[in-house]
Amino acid sequence: MSQHQQSYWGGIVKSMGLVFGDIGTSPIYTLTVIFAITKPTLDNILGILSLIVWTLIILVTVEYAWLAMSLGRKGEGGTIVLKEILVRMLKGGRSLGMVGFLSFVGVSLLLGDGVITPAISILSAVEGLVLIPACASLSQGTLILIAACIAITLFVFQFKGTDKVAGLFGPLMVLWFISLTVSGLIAIGDYPSIVRAVSPWYAIKFFMTNGLSAFFVLSEVILCATGGEALYADMGHLGRKPIIRAWCFVFLALVINYLGQGAFLLKHPDAKNTLFGMVQGESQLLYIPFLILTIMATVIASQALISGVFSIVYQGITTRIMPLMKVDYTSSQLKSQIYIGSVNWFLMVLVIFIMLVFEKSENLAAAYGLAVTGTMTITGIMMTIIFAHTKKKWKVPIAFFVTVADAIFLIANLNKLPHGGYWSLILAGVPFTTILIWTKGQRALYKALRPLDVDTFLLSYEQIYTKGRTIPGTGLFFTREWAVVPPYVVHCMIRSNIIYERNIFISIMRTDEPFGLRARLISDRCAGLESFEIFAGYMEVIDIEGLLKKNGIMEKVIFYGVEDIATANPVWKVFSLIKKLTPNFVQFNKLPASRLQGVLTRVEM
């Protein structure tokens, strides 16, 4: 194989492991859940299979693989990227606030999904044990215990990073998709005319015969497309082409398997679990290996989702919509391989809690789908606005059509609210409230601090500096930007006369590109005063110490501001608590503790 062919197939295999776990494990539960509430008659089976095929075409292929993936910034994708593109297009105004709000909701829904996906995937795979004669008597409690143990193991090993195991993920998922295809083909062999379900006519006919109840079936059909948003969100890890190439194979495997399950259902209308029943009927011998492979596939799917959550939170931290958290970088090659301990353990507790609350995967399916359709609708709205502002106006009607399809699914899913669907709203509510309190709090705090403009500051500074009572060495002061001087600097230099021979204001600006890093030292700001500005992309990891050394800055002390917030307002009390619990700027950037000097400012909010 040539080098080019190797990278071509390598990219496809890798993306199967990193991107398609979630959507690839949907066949485990989708049809089982649908036919638990719908009678498996020939017309119903053809109608639902047709709906599934067209859902995969419209919501995943058209919306994500084609439209969304044409909108990347330096190869990165996701809701935050769409927001950054829109911020550039809509210069200020009302619509901008709306876009910010939509992207907050989108991000929160995705994070809430990060809890339900591992729970439903692992639980549904473990439930396949019941079909093994020796395990037939296992109680649901035992199954939950096994699923919880698998989940705990997965979370405990997160801090090691996924570099070492990611090599196995791809080949295992390829094996998984091959077994889906083969088992599907064998079942289709028993009833070849099931293939006609690919025609959209059967979906339309299903609606015409069943009316409103067909509309509510959509809330279960969406299960086949959960994980579709990963194509766009993980674009930064692998690039656009390998993901789209891999999707062609995955799409075929999924469609063949769903058709096979449909053929199996026609012959065994009372099967409890469609996929497992089908495989077991085809080969008793291979059932246990298939079950083990299923459990591995669901672990891989959950892993991809957890990595996605870390990546979203990191983007949130650097774009200042989320509080700082301790971040560890687990890979020297891949910048996107990060580990956030607090998020990891919080997720683990919630996943196990959700398993205990819902007990069965089909109960979980009742809560699943709201977040996914919400995210898809928001992506659709944002894409439609973007295409309307670019030269590709012909894409607007297509994006609009997709958004309408998303909205129909979202409305159908609203009937899940009383049946546990409210959990996905509660789960999304946690990050959403955090984002709102944090962004509003930061703004209010900045106003309350009343920073000085640099010209007023320089008048007093020059008077003190010319007296010549400076401290030998270099002092660094962290500021947000050169033009504005925070109160702690005024307190240090003007009120307390702490002025070094060389004083440097250091500020970090996040650009609206994902990557890229440059720093500049401006030395002639004023006698003894310089500024050091770092410009970094919002996915970039900054080594501040290294940059300082590179620019010949050997600091004696690093000053930074700490706010002590006094307030009677309950919302700001929560904000103050978040600030106390999360690492401050200096801890986040891992600066040497021996040289740090925090200066406390008391603020009334």
Side-chain angles (χ1 to χ4, degrees):
M1 255 166 89
S2 69
Q3 193 81 38
H4 172 72
Q5 276 176 310
Q6 256 178 337
S7 71
Y8 177 89
W9 289 106
I12 291 178
V13 171
K14 256 194 187 144
S15 48
M16 287 199 176
L18 280 172
V19 181
F20 295 105
D22 188 358
I23 198 166
T25 48
S26 299
I28 304 173
Y29 46 81
T30 304
L31 285 177
T32 307
V33 168
I34 294 176
F35 287 108
I37 52 169
T38 314
K39 265 209 168 69
T41 60
L42 178 63
D43 283 346
N44 284 351
I45 289 175
L46 287 173
I48 282 169
L49 288 177
S50 173
L51 276 172
I52 286 179
V53 172
W54 285 92
T55 303
L56 289 173
I57 292 174
I58 296 169
L59 297 196
V60 186
T61 311
V62 176
E63 175 166 9
Y64 284 103
W66 180 40
L67 293 177
M69 290 182 83
S70 64
L71 298 171
R73 304 276 320 258
K74 294 270 173 87
E76 283 284 326
T79 315
I80 293 185
V81 174
L82 285 177
K83 173 182 162 237
E84 297 288 331
I85 297 176
L86 278 167
V87 167
R88 277 200 162 180
M89 283 180 173
L90 313 164
K91 302 275 188 286
R94 273 237 176 107
S95 43
L96 205 61
M98 185 63 195
V99 166
F101 180 75
L102 275 181
S103 67
F104 291 171
V105 176
V107 167
S108 307
L109 287 171
L110 266 180
L111 293 177
D113 231 18
V115 177
I116 299 181
T117 304
I120 191 173
S121 324
I122 297 175
L123 199 52
S124 59
V126 171
E127 283 168 0
L129 284 168
V130 188
L131 293 181
I132 303 171
C135 306
S137 58
L138 285 180
S139 71
Q140 192 64 30
T142 318
L143 295 177
I144 295 174
L145 185 69
I146 298 171
C149 290
I150 295 173
I152 292 172
T153 314
L154 174 67
F155 282 105
V156 168
F157 282 103
Q158 284 304 314
F159 71 95
K160 284 205 160 42
T162 47
D163 260 17
K164 301 174 188 63
V165 267
L168 291 172
F169 283 2
L172 274 171
M173 285 313 284
V174 170
L175 190 60
W176 167 250
F177 286 119
I178 290 172
S179 43
L180 284 186
T181 313
V182 173
S183 61
L185 285 172
I186 295 173
I188 293 173
D190 286 344
Y191 190 87
S193 64
I194 193 82
V195 178
R196 61 197 163 153
V198 174
S199 146
W201 159 243
Y202 292 98
I204 298 164
K205 188 174 148 195
F206 180 72
F207 268 103
M208 280 156 57
T209 23
N210 295 314
L212 196 63
S213 58
F215 176 69
F216 288 120
V217 169
L218 285 181
S219 69
E220 309 296 352
V221 170
I222 190 64
L223 294 173
C224 73
T226 53
E229 67 289 336
L231 274 79
Y232 183 46
D234 293 340
M235 203 159 77
H237 294 230
L238 295 157
R240 181 175 163 218
K241 283 193 177 131
I243 293 181
I244 291 182
R245 285 176 195 141
W247 171 239
C248 299
F249 292 106
V250 172
F251 176 73
L252 268 175
L254 291 175
V255 169
I256 290 172
N257 189 268
Y258 282 124
L259 292 173
Q261 286 190 43
F264 170 79
L265 268 169
L266 280 172
K267 294 206 157 172
H268 309 85
D270 47 359
K272 274 273 176 284
N273 192 311
T274 327
L275 177 68
F276 291 139
M278 174 173 90
V279 175
Q280 197 182 25
E282 286 166 4
S283 158
Q284 281 283 357
L285 247 186
L286 291 175
Y287 180 66
I288 296 181
F290 178 77
L291 187 66
I292 294 169
L293 180 64
T294 308
I295 294 175
M296 283 179 178
T298 55
V299 167
I300 292 171
S302 310
Q303 173 56 52
L305 216 113
I306 297 166
S307 301
V309 167
F310 289 158
S311 167
I312 292 173
V313 172
Y314 187 69
Q315 281 186 17
I317 291 171
T318 55
T319 48
R320 290 197 175 140
I321 65 170
M322 284 182 196
L324 297 176
M325 288 169 221
K326 185 172 177 289
V327 176
D328 295 301
Y329 304 97
T330 54
S331 156
S332 45
Q333 288 85 33
L334 269 178
K335 284 182 175 149
S336 45
Q337 292 285 334
I338 52 181
Y339 167 73
I340 306 173
S342 47
V343 174
N344 186 53
W345 301 120
F346 192 54
L347 264 181
M348 182 184 88
V349 171
L350 287 176
V351 165
I352 290 163
F353 171 72
I354 286 292
M355 282 180 181
L356 292 171
V357 169
F358 283 95
E359 294 178 349
K360 286 188 173 146
S361 63
E362 57 216 57
N363 300 349
L364 250 165
Y368 198 33
L370 255 173
V372 185
T373 44
T375 312
M376 288 178 168
T377 312
I378 288 170
T379 305
I381 295 170
M382 287 166 97
M383 284 194 313
T384 313
I385 303 173
I386 292 173
F387 288 130
H389 283 77
T390 57
K391 290 186 179 139
K392 298 189 173 162
K393 298 235 187 317
W394 58 273
K395 282 187 179 174
V396 175
I398 306 169
F400 180 71
F401 165 70
V402 168
T403 311
V404 170
D406 288 332
I408 292 172
F409 273 104
L410 179 61
I411 296 163
N413 268 287
L414 292 178
N415 84 325
K416 285 185 173 180
L417 275 175
H419 308 291
Y422 57 87
W423 274 108
S424 56
L425 295 187
I426 295 174
L427 292 170
V430 178
F432 187 66
T433 345
T434 312
I435 292 175
L436 277 187
I437 293 177
W438 185 253
T439 44
K440 295 264 191 294
Q442 289 283 62
R443 234 171 276 148
L445 177 64
Y446 191 66
K447 274 188 189 148
L449 278 169
R450 289 199 294 274
L452 264 187
D453 63 288
V454 76
D455 301 330
T456 321
F457 168 79
L458 287 177
L459 292 173
S460 318
Y461 166 82
E462 281 169 338
Q463 287 174 356
I464 302 170
Y465 191 80
T466 43
K467 289 180 186 162
R469 292 199 203 120
T470 54
I471 307 165
T474 305
L476 287 189
F477 296 86
F478 272 105
T479 64
R480 211 174 196 181
E481 51 193 322
W482 163 254
V484 187
V485 182
Y488 89 90
V489 175
V490 179
H491 181 79
C492 269
M493 295 179 126
I494 311 298
R495 295 202 190 109
S496 314
N497 288 358
I498 302 175
I499 293 188
Y500 285 77
E501 280 171 31
R502 185 180 183 200
N503 304 281
I504 302 173
F505 283 3
I506 171 171
S507 50
I508 297 175
M509 328 282 198
R510 290 283 179 177
T511 59
D512 52 9
E513 300 290 346
F515 296 108
L517 180 69
R518 57 190 177 86
R520 60 171 189 205
L521 179 67
I522 302 171
S523 42
D524 48 0
R525 290 290 198 186
C526 176
L529 186 63
E530 304 167 36
S531 70
F532 185 61
E533 293 170 340
I534 301 170
F535 297 91
Y538 57 79
M539 289 297 286
E540 195 66 67
V541 178
I542 311 174
D543 170 20
I544 297 182
E545 277 288 273
L547 285 172
L548 290 171
K549 284 205 179 79
K550 215 171 170 182
N551 284 276
I553 300 170
M554 300 303 291
E555 73 282 1
K556 197 168 168 183
V557 187
I558 304 173
F559 290 98
Y560 65 97
V562 184
E563 296 87 12
D564 177 26
I565 300 168
T567 177
N569 182 330
V571 179
W572 296 154
K573 277 191 173 143
V574 176
F575 172 68
S576 163
L577 182 71
I578 297 176
K579 257 185 116 56
K580 283 197 183 92
L581 292 176
T582 52
N584 59 27
F585 175 80
V586 183
Q587 291 160 321
F588 178 73
N589 285 303
K590 303 200 167 99
L591 291 164
S594 54
R595 286 184 228 133
L596 290 173
Q597 190 70 50
V599 182
L600 193 73
T601 314
R602 191 162 174 82
V603 195
E604 292 213 354
M605 276 171 82

